Amino acid sequence: MSRTVRPASPADAGSLAAIDVSVNINPWNARQFAAACSDANAKEQFAMVVEEDGRTDGFLVFSQVLDEASIYSIGVHSAQQGKGLGHLLLQAALLKMKEAGATRCFLEVRQSNAVARRLYKGNGFELDGTRKSYYPTEGGREDALLMSRCLLRNMQ
Ligand SMILES: CC(C)(COP(=O)(O)OP(=O)(O)OC[C@H]1O[C@@H](n2cnc3c(N)ncnc32)[C@H](O)[C@@H]1OP(=O)(O)O)[C@@H](O)C(=O)NCCC(=O)NCCS
């Protein structure tokens, strides 16, 4: 079994959007993925892809402005979840941000998303605060947890 994480290319946009729509409650649209996967130098978001045996299994999208990076979205194909691919993607993205000069990485996660919270906590993210009733749910609204981690220390 061979696993790799690499920067996305324009050809990846369709498969990343297909994974996103199958696993995320508020998926990005095709245009947003096309922008994050484009070859443009001045783009605002960057997408990374995790592959296992050549099959595209997941993605992570982040932005970076000077020393601050933000994770916008992460998704692993439902059939491949729980096998460490999310961890692999996150570690690769954090390293890339750090190499590009970021000192802190920020993200937001739904309070109810126990798996994502576990992934982030296990990778050094700490709770900074909450945005009350930020996300819509089927029955109402739920809080967003604001998390961040320093990128200056060694990656875990
Ligand atoms: C969140 C997500 C990206 C994690 O990717 P993944 O490949 O499934 O995660 P990993 O296998 O690397 O596991 C990460 C942690 O979550 C735990 N985990 C994974 N699946 C789990 C499950 N079904 N139940 C409980 N814990 C689980 C793992 O045990 C691991 O924790 P540990 O390191 O303490 O053992 C993936 O589940 C996903 O795409 N979810 C839907 C989209 C989503 O919620 N995105 C996040 C929005 S903020």
mmCIF file of all heavy atoms in Angstrom, residues 24 57 65 82 87 112 143-144 148 150:
data_model
loop_
_atom_site.group_PDB
_atom_site.id
_atom_site.type_symbol
_atom_site.label_atom_id
_atom_site.label_comp_id
_atom_site.label_asym_id
_atom_site.label_seq_id
_atom_site.Cartn_x
_atom_site.Cartn_y
_atom_site.Cartn_z
ATOM 1 N N ASN A 24 -19.140 16.396 3.309
ATOM 2 C CA ASN A 24 -19.279 17.640 4.067
ATOM 3 C C ASN A 24 -20.701 18.196 3.983
ATOM 4 O O ASN A 24 -21.334 18.140 2.919
ATOM 5 C CB ASN A 24 -18.263 18.682 3.587
ATOM 6 C CG ASN A 24 -16.975 18.628 4.410
ATOM 7 O OD1 ASN A 24 -17.006 18.539 5.633
ATOM 8 N ND2 ASN A 24 -15.832 18.669 3.723
ATOM 9 N N ASP A 57 -8.197 9.915 -2.419
ATOM 10 C CA ASP A 57 -9.053 9.577 -1.283
ATOM 11 C C ASP A 57 -9.450 10.762 -0.429
ATOM 12 O O ASP A 57 -10.321 10.623 0.436
ATOM 13 C CB ASP A 57 -8.342 8.561 -0.380
ATOM 14 C CG ASP A 57 -8.463 7.144 -0.901
ATOM 15 O OD1 ASP A 57 -9.321 6.906 -1.781
ATOM 16 O OD2 ASP A 57 -7.700 6.278 -0.454
ATOM 17 N N VAL A 65 -1.694 33.868 4.585
ATOM 18 C CA VAL A 65 -1.358 35.275 4.387
ATOM 19 C C VAL A 65 -0.243 35.602 5.372
ATOM 20 O O VAL A 65 -0.440 35.532 6.594
ATOM 21 C CB VAL A 65 -2.565 36.209 4.631
ATOM 22 C CG1 VAL A 65 -2.153 37.668 4.458
ATOM 23 C CG2 VAL A 65 -3.701 35.870 3.689
ATOM 24 N N GLY A 82 -11.037 6.909 8.853
ATOM 25 C CA GLY A 82 -10.610 6.142 10.019
ATOM 26 C C GLY A 82 -9.361 5.314 9.797
ATOM 27 O O GLY A 82 -9.031 4.453 10.601
ATOM 28 N N HIS A 87 -5.151 12.392 9.166
ATOM 29 C CA HIS A 87 -3.945 12.744 9.926
ATOM 30 C C HIS A 87 -2.776 13.025 8.974
ATOM 31 O O HIS A 87 -2.054 14.018 9.131
ATOM 32 C CB HIS A 87 -3.621 11.595 10.876
ATOM 33 C CG HIS A 87 -2.398 11.801 11.697
ATOM 34 N ND1 HIS A 87 -2.383 12.556 12.842
ATOM 35 C CD2 HIS A 87 -1.125 11.368 11.516
ATOM 36 C CE1 HIS A 87 -1.161 12.577 13.341
ATOM 37 N NE2 HIS A 87 -0.374 11.858 12.561
ATOM 38 N N SER A 112 -20.439 19.505 17.025
ATOM 39 C CA SER A 112 -20.892 18.104 16.976
ATOM 40 C C SER A 112 -19.939 17.184 16.217
ATOM 41 O O SER A 112 -20.121 15.972 16.217
ATOM 42 C CB SER A 112 -22.265 18.039 16.292
ATOM 43 O OG SER A 112 -22.145 18.479 14.946
ATOM 44 N N ASP A 143 -22.871 25.656 17.573
ATOM 45 C CA ASP A 143 -21.694 26.507 17.743
ATOM 46 C C ASP A 143 -20.545 26.069 16.840
ATOM 47 O O ASP A 143 -20.400 24.886 16.514
ATOM 48 C CB ASP A 143 -21.185 26.432 19.186
ATOM 49 C CG ASP A 143 -22.171 27.019 20.185
ATOM 50 O OD1 ASP A 143 -23.156 27.646 19.746
ATOM 51 O OD2 ASP A 143 -21.938 26.851 21.382
ATOM 52 N N ALA A 144 -19.702 27.032 16.474
ATOM 53 C CA ALA A 144 -18.412 26.740 15.845
ATOM 54 C C ALA A 144 -17.346 26.839 16.930
ATOM 55 O O ALA A 144 -17.363 27.766 17.740
ATOM 56 C CB ALA A 144 -18.121 27.770 14.755
ATOM 57 N N SER A 148 -6.680 26.698 17.119
ATOM 58 C CA SER A 148 -5.446 27.068 16.425
ATOM 59 C C SER A 148 -4.278 26.311 17.040
ATOM 60 O O SER A 148 -4.401 25.747 18.138
ATOM 61 C CB SER A 148 -5.187 28.579 16.494
ATOM 62 O OG SER A 148 -4.883 28.963 17.818
ATOM 63 N N CYS A 150 0.274 26.550 17.191
ATOM 64 C CA CYS A 150 1.530 27.184 16.817
ATOM 65 C C CYS A 150 2.274 26.247 15.863
ATOM 66 O O CYS A 150 2.233 25.034 16.036
ATOM 67 C CB CYS A 150 2.338 27.418 18.084
ATOM 68 S SG CYS A 150 3.975 28.043 17.776
#
